[in-house]
Amino acid sequence: MESEHRQRRVVKRTSNACTRCRRQKIKCSGSQPCNGCSKRNLTCTFDERDQKVLVSRGYIIDLQREIASLKRTAGQDPGSPSSDYVDQDPDRTLEDADLDVGSSRDEEPAQPLEPGMHGGNNNSRFGTDLEPIGSDLVNPLSAGQSAFWSAENGRAFYLGTSSNWSFARRVLTMTHEHKYQAPLPPGTLLFDATAYDLGWDGFRSTLPDTPLVPAIDHAIYLINSVKFRCGQLFHIFDEEEFMSSLYNFYADPSARMATTGLWYIHFLVILAFGKAFVLQKNQGKKPPGAEFFVTALQLLPDASALCREPIISTEILCCVSLYFQSLDFRHSAHNFIGQAKRMALGQGMHTDMPIRHLGEALVQRCRKIWWTVYILDREMTSLMGLPQAINDNDVHAPLPTFLGSVQRTQTLNLQIKLSQIIADINSTIYGIDGRLNTQFLLSTKAALASMANLADELRHLLPMPLDKTISGVSRLTAYIHILYHQCIVLATRPLVFCFLRIRLESPDTLLRSLNSSPNVRNLLQMCIDSSQQMVNILNNLQSQGLLETFLHFDLESIFVSAVILLLGPVIDASLLDSLSSWLQKSYSIIDEMILNGNLIAKFRRSELQQLEETLGHLSPDLSQSSSGPITFQQTNDSSSKTAPSNTIPLVGSLAVSNDIMQPDPTILDEYNFNEGLTAAQILAVANSIDSGDAEWVSHAMAGNNSIWEFHQDAQ
């Protein structure tokens, strides 16, 4: 009986459980995703290292003796703290640890993982047969010492790892220095908080002048424009309470003099948004509605006062953050959304708030606020290239319900999942000293697999019929699809950066490197394809008059896409056809934003033109590789370096020897990139990455160690 009981106990201990349930010691259904994670809308991951195998204690003792013997041979004291194995799960018992064998990370000491970083655990779900190789090779976007770039006023800006601004700055710097053998001048470049001028130094030394509020009918018109532009994506105010206060404000003339309440501050920020959406004209460098926004900031009390009314305070902080982000005040936006996040956490909005005690209306409002804060914080932190601070294992807030709109709840669910994928990409692919070898490719596989899980769901819930004219494209649908493709670009563009640097430093070896790994070439093609998809979606919105010219989303997307599309033919002409037509679409979209008063778009266009000109100089015959003509701006600067040694030959023109493996043309045809990838196709690309690709990364980069250096001292 005792042996039977022991056997049943062992079987129970070896049941499958996800990482989150195992850490919190709660029951797990064992499905993928499990019931608990699915209910809380969290990423569900399983770590194969937690699967139990039954071995004898003698086997464990023999392994421990071998390890001790090897450490003594290496001259390390087996009993020293530095030689101890650090278990990644502190909740596991000694017996559990003894039963775990066969880990892909046995080659190096295990490092503690943050509980919310699911990406690292996801790797084991897609194969751990890749051997650790090339440990001295690192992701150039996140490795080594941190990189900074100085503006003309001397202020140094940190180049965040996953930041779109930082990526473009690195590419511009690299290509400019290769062409001119001189640092890139910062005079024409975009820096934080330089495109617009609010006309306020940020100090509350004097009382603000009360701006002239519009008539009630005009105010309602502005509020409705904000609801259409922002309300579908985020919760920015509670409509019932906000409109009730609005009518009270206009009904009582004396109420207009009481300009110290939080609702009035909220009202001013909403008016600032409405003016920006409707007017689309600047007063010099002042954006429309700046007078309302500045007055709101001057009246905004400190944290001690805001904490007394946390619900409306969190809504105000979200609005302020989004407005700052739209003006490219990225640091200010990130600080305000961080304050909103802490306010929401302090109020317990991240938890399953009890409806019975707090009431249905309040709980639903808090859930809408929380997920808005969550999504904006994820996005703004990624745009800054900073570590994500919210731990998903601590988030238990259910989704809110939207009366009469089931699709809105489903769309919010997709937004949250994509935000979680962004966080996973940041913590794995862009993690500190992210290695361009096994772990890097495994992280890429895990990220692609996560996106594959959403691909068919996205197509089913929010179809994007770009080739049909029966009905227009929804603004909300377009936003979700663009966010999806941004995730793919974010996950794969480190490889684009790698190939560009190889192209500049060792062009003769580029073709061999490309042809040595068709699977890695497919990842490059995925990056190009997602960039094309974003351009197509934005072009469709432009034709419908739905292009967003104030909020930052569309400009950020078109700029990222255009940079990738410019780099594609420079790496390999076969990666992109008709570059000229894609550039024409991109510039047309940016030009419309400029026409509608977006000052940031002027800088973005200038930087794209500068990159286009530099790449045209590096590859004079680039236009011959495309089906359409491409006219590059040629420089007449006498200081330009035109020596043959600095002219990069086109990839397609390089001589190909017979011993170089040619890529299988059926691979790209099978995946049919130009029509968008299905879940099965993305999984096929992810699962095709094997140890040979990791070996390619090692050999391709081994002879080009110097390309990972970012020459900050050359400024």
Side-chain angles (χ1 to χ4, degrees), residues 212-224:
L212 181 64
V213 296
I216 185 171
D217 56 345
H218 189 194
I220 293 175
Y221 169 68
L222 295 177
I223 293 171
N224 286 333

Side-chain angles (χ1 to χ4, degrees), residues 29 36 45 99 104 114 128 240 298 380 382 385 394 406 425 456 468 498 530 547 556 646-647 697 715:
S29 64
T45 62
L99 294 177
S104 64
E114 291 295 332
T128 56
E240 181 178 355
Q298 292 172 326
M380 293 181 184
S382 178
D394 296 328
V406 178
I425 293 173
D456 289 343
K468 300 178 181 180
C498 292
S530 285
L547 195 65
E556 198 78 32
N646 286 335
T647 301
V697 173
Q715 297 184 46

Side-chain angles (χ1 to χ4, degrees), residues 7-59:
Q7 184 178 3
R8 286 196 300 270
R9 181 174 61 85
V10 172
V11 172
K12 184 177 180 180
R13 288 175 62 83
T14 57
S15 59
N16 196 21
C18 72
T19 303
R20 177 182 168 276
C21 292
R22 186 176 298 277
R23 286 186 182 278
Q24 296 191 354
K25 297 182 179 180
I26 60 177
K27 184 178 179 181
C28 183
S29 64
S31 58
Q32 175 65 21
C34 74
N35 294 340
C37 292
S38 178
K39 178 181 178 181
R40 292 173 174 81
N41 198 43
L42 300 174
T43 302
C44 187
T45 62
F46 290 77
D47 194 338
E48 288 183 352
R49 295 175 302 122
D50 288 331
Q51 294 181 358
K52 308 300 187 303
V53 295
L54 185 63
V55 298
S56 66
R57 184 165 296 277
Y59 179 78

Side-chain angles (χ1 to χ4, degrees), residues 45 47 82 85 106 124 159 174 195 229 231 255 267 270 296 341 344 361 415 418 466 470 497 505 592 610 707 709:
T45 62
D47 194 338
S82 61
Y85 175 77
D106 289 341
S124 60
L159 298 182
M174 180 172 54
R229 295 288 189 177
F267 175 55
I270 297 300
K341 175 183 61 181
Q415 278 183 276
L418 289 170
L466 293 178
I470 299 177
F497 191 80
E505 299 293 332
E592 179 167 329
Q610 187 173 354
I707 67 177
E709 300 175 2

Side-chain angles (χ1 to χ4, degrees), residues 18 326 416 429 464 493 560 639:
C18 72
S326 300
I416 295 170
I429 297 177
M464 178 65 70
R493 74 180 177 192
V560 170
S639 63

Side-chain angles (χ1 to χ4, degrees), residues 497-508:
F497 191 80
C498 292
F499 276 108
L500 177 64
R501 302 207 71 163
I502 293 176
R503 177 68 187 281
L504 297 179
E505 299 293 332
S506 304
D508 295 335

Side-chain angles (χ1 to χ4, degrees), residues 307-324:
C307 288
R308 290 194 287 268
E309 299 183 62
I311 307 298
I312 188 174
S313 295
T314 307
E315 292 173 337
I316 293 174
L317 293 172
C318 284
C319 292
V320 171
S321 175
L322 186 58
Y323 191 91
F324 267 132

